[in-house]
Amino acid sequence: MAANARSIILHQYDISPFSEKVRVAFGIKGLEWFACDEPVIMPKPELVALTGGYRKIPVMQIGADIYCDTQIILRELERRFPSPTLFPGADKGLGWGFAMWADRVFFQAAVAIIFGGGTPIADDAFIKDREKLTGRPFDIEGMKAAAPMMAEQFRAQLDWLEGQLADGRTFLLGTEPGLADASAFYNLAFVRWASPGGVKLIEAFPGVLAWEKRVAGLGHGTRKEVSREEALDIAKAATSTEEAKADPGEPNGLKPGDSVTIMADDYGRDPIPGELVSSSAQHVAIRRSDPRVGEVVVHFPRAGFLILKS
């Protein structure tokens, strides 16, 4: 079956660690989805046509609705496909907090030991691309110097996972897998793809190893493929399902129809302008148009993003 306006399309590439987080969520939920492979480095003309300038991976597309950042992707998957949930038990807030730790603290420790260990991923083109993405030097020599210390940090966080699993639980928050598992797991997957030294650290923790195998066994749902051109055609033919909605608790007075600019607060701060459609404590959606895809609505999380009234 070909992809259509109701299909989940994940703009990704296979060695993208954050894409792995979403792929594990597909496995937990047993979803069918379409992989739309994007380049690892710029230029990414098809992705930029959809997002208005956001270039980080992954991006999820459902028709003319475009979801940037794993936080909003997983929020939307949970809304559309609530069972099986990504938040088993009564720890929904803890799951989101766990994910933020994994995305920032745990991930940065993984990055340092991967690139400090001389991974072949880091060729000249990759380094130049990441320098533009972060707005600062991608200091391989500095990472090499820091790698022994960052190995200590990575090991310390692996030990936290080991402690969480010490009572024999199946997954990090209990008997069922969820967001916490997908978030921690992708960092281990990234290290396994690119850092033999990091793998040795992982394999020193038997509880983590057993849990890692259980998460890997969840799979990635049912994967199909779609080309970038096909994905753009789907967006152009579709209409967003997002309805205009004001947030009565909006702290800065934003309302539908306002011209705003959105950007990440850490790296990849490409400003994305558009017209506000809806907002809440956890999301913001803007309408924008592009000659290739027509009118689309682009969705972002609130945590980790800045919204400026134009």
Side-chain angles (χ1 to χ4, degrees):
M1 184 181 74
N4 57 49
R6 295 182 299 277
S7 301
I8 301 168
I9 298 173
L10 189 70
H11 296 263
Q12 60 115 61
Y13 51 86
D14 285 347
I15 61 168
S16 159
F18 288 96
S19 296
E20 180 67 5
K21 187 208 298 192
V22 179
R23 293 188 295 252
V24 172
F26 292 151
I28 292 171
K29 290 183 172 293
L31 295 175
E32 177 182 281
W33 60 285
F34 288 80
C36 184
D37 286 339
E38 296 284 350
V40 175
I41 64 175
M42 291 291 270
K44 303 179 184 181
E46 295 87 4
L47 187 69
V48 169
L50 286 170
T51 66
Y54 183 87
R55 50 156 294 184
K56 293 195 282 186
I57 292 294
V59 167
M60 183 174 76
Q61 173 190 348
I62 301 179
D65 285 288
I66 314 302
Y67 300 87
C68 300
D69 189 271
T70 58
Q71 188 184 153
I72 198 71
I73 291 171
L74 297 173
R75 181 179 184 272
E76 185 63 16
L77 288 175
E78 184 73 6
R79 186 185 75 83
R80 290 179 183 246
F81 310 100
S83 181
T85 182
L86 294 175
F87 304 96
D91 295 319
K92 188 170 185 177
L94 181 58
W96 285 120
F98 202 109
M100 188 64 78
W101 161 75
D103 287 356
R104 300 210 171 190
V105 180
F106 199 21
F107 177 68
Q108 288 304 322
V111 165
I113 62 172
I114 287 168
F115 292 99
T119 174
I121 295 172
D123 60 17
D124 287 344
F126 181 91
I127 291 169
K128 290 177 182 177
D129 179 79
R130 289 314 189 255
E131 287 181 338
K132 291 179 181 178
L133 177 66
T134 62
R136 59 180 181 270
F138 196 80
D139 186 2
I140 294 292
E141 291 305 313
M143 285 190 233
K144 287 180 180 178
M149 292 173 285
M150 294 311 295
E152 295 172 1
Q153 297 302 309
F154 189 71
R155 178 173 176 264
Q157 289 162 81
L158 287 169
D159 191 61
W160 284 344
L161 296 179
E162 188 79 3
Q164 182 72 0
L165 296 160
D167 61 359
R169 64 184 63 198
T170 308
F171 296 103
L172 288 172
L173 297 185
T175 58
E176 301 298 326
L179 176 58
D181 301 283
S183 299
F185 176 83
Y186 82 79
N187 283 292
L188 275 61
F190 192 27
V191 167
R192 285 193 178 277
W193 295 334
S195 174
V199 170
K200 292 180 181 179
L201 293 173
I202 296 169
E203 292 181 344
F205 293 94
V208 170
L209 277 176
W211 161 83
E212 183 186 23
K213 289 178 181 177
R214 289 192 291 272
V215 177
L218 298 170
H220 290 160
T222 301
R223 173 175 173 161
K224 298 183 177 181
E225 308 292 327
V226 66
S227 73
R228 296 195 288 271
E229 286 299 322
E230 288 175 305
L232 297 189
D233 289 341
I234 289 169
K236 191 175 181 86
T239 300
S240 168
T241 61
E242 185 72 12
E243 297 181 358
K245 186 177 181 181
D247 175 9
E250 177 59 55
N252 294 311
L254 297 173
K255 60 186 183 302
D258 285 348
S259 294
V260 297
T261 299
I262 300 176
M263 65 182 73
D265 71 358
D266 50 0
Y267 61 92
R269 296 189 178 192
D270 304 278
I272 317 299
E275 176 190 313
L276 188 73
V277 176
S278 64
S279 66
S280 71
Q282 297 297 338
H283 95 288
V284 61
I286 61 171
R287 181 179 291 108
R288 55 171 303 277
S289 62
D290 179 271
R292 178 63 181 86
V293 298
E295 188 175 279
V296 296
V297 172
V298 189
H299 304 250
F300 298 89
R302 293 301 285 266
F305 282 77
L306 307 174
I307 306 165
L308 308 174
K309 197 168 181 178
S310 303

